[in-house]
Amino acid sequence: MTARARRLRSIGALTSRIVAALLGSYGLAALCSVAVLALPISKPQAVLTGQLASFAICAGVVIWAFAARSALTAWIGLALVAAVLGPLAWSAS
């Protein structure tokens, strides 16, 4: 593998992590904000809880995207969490 190919591969992995951090944080925060409506609490309290939790989730996803062993691992982790939150958000709406 040439130096140019290694450089392009590392840039691709970094770009993938950046996209995972940006889109993943927004997507999971939105899913969590809606999924929390499925909890057995009042709707105003659920909305407030979901909105407050979304800030922590955004920060956690960004940290996860860059702390994961590889970009593929970061995407798999985001997909697994989204797969869990998706049905909850669907049933709450």
Side-chain angles (χ1 to χ4, degrees), residues 18 21-22 25 31 40 60 65 69 73 79 93:
I18 291 171
L22 290 174
S25 66
L31 275 175
R69 186 164 282 237
T73 305
S93 60

Side-chain angles (χ1 to χ4, degrees), residues 27-50:
L28 288 184
L31 275 175
C32 181
S33 293
V34 176
V36 78
L37 291 171
L39 293 174
I41 57 177
S42 67
K43 295 295 181 194
Q45 186 66 35
V47 169
L48 182 62
T49 302

Side-chain angles (χ1 to χ4, degrees), residues 60-88:
V61 168
V62 170
I63 291 169
W64 164 251
F66 289 99
R69 186 164 282 237
S70 68
L72 181 62
T73 305
W75 281 106
I76 290 171
L78 293 174
L80 288 175
V81 174
V84 170
L85 288 176
L88 290 173

Side-chain angles (χ1 to χ4, degrees), residues 51-66:
Q51 291 300 313
L52 289 175
S54 70
F55 293 110
I57 290 168
C58 279
V61 168
V62 170
I63 291 169
W64 164 251
F66 289 99

